Amino acid sequence: MPKALRYKTGKEMLPRIFFQKISTTELHIHENLHRPHPCTSSILQFPLLLYFSPTMSLLKKVSQAQIRQVKQLSAQIFGESYNPDNIRNGAKVLAAPLKGPAIASYYGDNNSTPTFKDFKQWFPELKLVDPKEEYRVMMVALRKKRNKGAPKKKTS
Amino acid sequence: MPFRFPVKFELPKHCYINARVLKDQFKRLQVAEHEVTRKALKYIARNTELPAKARLEAQLQLAAMPKYTCQTQIRDRCVATGHSRSVISDFKLNRTAFRNMARANQIPGVQKASW
């Protein structure tokens, strides 16, 4: 086929507009156009004072000292600690639970189950024999006999 | 023959025994014994509301305590082999010991995963 009659194929067929990136911000704005922004909802337009006392005017502001007093009282009532300035008083050291018993019992409680040695002690008349231990003792004796036992422990 | 640790203790009966396991067990017992003392000293040392002299003294005393009372010295070991690496804390087993026991159906509720 001559060069002039070459047909467009694949990517060449699509118009250039398809490869333009649509920004994500544009999409989000479009989604929320019909919904009011949460901050402009009516409930927060009234100050929180409405729930404190009926004698307080809605237009009077509460001082920081009063809020601090309330927080302190609340902590006192509920038995919580109150540290607004975040002073390092070591409270977290005391607040952490003790881990001693859990750590000490990692390798198990010795009195939980009896061992073979305990049975041997309780019933000597039965003359119980542990085959693996017997084999080990026999091997150690044989090795000692032909001078292959464990070397003497250095005292110094 | 003298006991090889400063304080005598009963050897653990229901796990694999090793020189390292014994050392670790001794440390654990000592940590449990001195935990309250250490905690009190640490509290004094960390409390900025106390006089500086008391805090300094507490810090020095804490440093002077034997190192086998420190929690960071403890290392979880495998209960079946005494190995300290690759220990799965839920089972207190080394990965190989865990595998062997699991394949022998000795760990309840554990089977080969397949999903």
Side-chain angles (χ1 to χ4, degrees):
Chain A
M1 201 170 278
K3 236 182 188 178
L5 289 167
R6 201 167 62 99
Y7 293 103
K8 281 189 187 173
T9 52
K11 239 187 199 174
E12 290 177 285
M13 287 293 286
L14 297 167
R16 285 199 186 269
I17 193 95
F18 274 74
F19 298 104
Q20 268 175 22
K21 236 184 177 178
I22 303 166
S23 71
T24 45
T25 47
E26 285 170 5
L27 280 171
H28 282 178
I29 287 162
H30 177 73
E31 270 170 25
N32 294 328
L33 265 176
H34 60 281
R35 236 190 297 145
H37 199 272
C39 274
T40 57
S41 62
S42 55
I43 214 157
L44 281 167
Q45 275 168 2
F46 294 106
L48 291 164
L49 290 175
L50 185 68
Y51 305 101
F52 275 98
S53 91
T55 53
M56 233 189 228
S57 162
L58 289 176
L59 299 168
K60 190 177 179 186
K61 288 184 189 162
V62 173
S63 67
Q64 284 297 318
Q66 281 178 310
I67 292 171
R68 235 181 290 129
Q69 266 184 339
V70 167
K71 283 186 181 171
Q72 194 173 25
L73 196 62
S74 162
Q76 198 181 10
I77 292 166
F78 293 106
E80 296 162 353
S81 64
Y82 180 66
N83 191 0
D85 304 319
N86 297 323
I87 297 163
R88 290 181 192 189
N89 53 14
K92 79 172 184 185
V93 173
L94 297 178
L98 290 175
K99 287 194 270 179
I103 283 171
S105 58
Y106 181 83
Y107 293 107
D109 176 31
N110 276 349
N111 304 323
S112 61
T113 25
T115 61
F116 185 80
K117 282 186 191 166
D118 295 324
F119 280 113
K120 267 178 90 166
Q121 198 185 18
W122 296 335
F123 309 110
E125 63 273 11
L126 291 176
K127 293 186 194 139
L128 298 164
V129 168
D130 180 13
K132 284 185 180 164
E133 181 65 17
E134 275 295 305
Y135 174 78
R136 191 190 72 85
V137 165
M138 183 188 76
M139 290 306 277
V140 164
L142 282 175
R143 280 178 68 88
K144 266 191 183 160
K145 213 176 0 172
R146 49 190 162 102
N147 263 331
K148 297 251 184 252
K152 188 119 172 93
K153 175 97 181 166
K154 237 172 103 168
T155 42
S156 65
Chain B
M1 212 183 110
F3 198 64
R4 60 168 81 174
F5 297 107
V7 176
K8 194 147 190 182
F9 65 96
E10 211 185 317
L11 270 54
K13 287 186 198 168
H14 302 294
C15 67
Y16 179 80
I17 297 286
N18 200 341
R20 291 163 192 203
V21 168
L22 291 179
K23 248 177 146 178
D24 189 56
Q25 171 67 348
F26 170 70
K27 283 178 187 172
R28 280 170 186 276
L29 294 172
Q30 292 302 304
V31 159
E33 216 181 280
H34 293 93
E35 193 191 11
V36 177
T37 326
R38 266 194 102 96
K39 227 179 163 166
L41 286 171
K42 191 174 181 186
Y43 167 73
I44 297 165
R46 296 280 184 275
N47 193 350
T48 50
E49 287 169 343
L50 295 172
K53 196 178 174 192
R55 286 181 69 193
L56 180 70
E57 267 181 43
Q59 183 63 44
L60 291 170
Q61 230 177 321
L62 195 59
M65 282 198 86
K67 64 177 184 179
Y68 49 72
T69 54
C70 179
Q71 222 165 296
T72 53
Q73 291 251 318
I74 288 163
R75 177 90 179 190
D76 279 354
R77 286 192 167 265
C78 173
V79 152
T81 55
H83 202 68
S84 69
R85 285 199 147 105
S86 317
V87 175
I88 305 167
S89 52
D90 296 335
F91 304 96
K92 296 184 185 175
L93 288 174
N94 174 241
R95 60 176 181 89
T96 53
F98 169 79
R99 186 176 181 274
N100 293 333
M101 282 183 79
R103 292 302 257 135
N105 295 324
Q106 283 169 8
I107 306 172
V110 174
Q111 51 166 305
K112 277 268 298 160
S114 131
W115 73 96

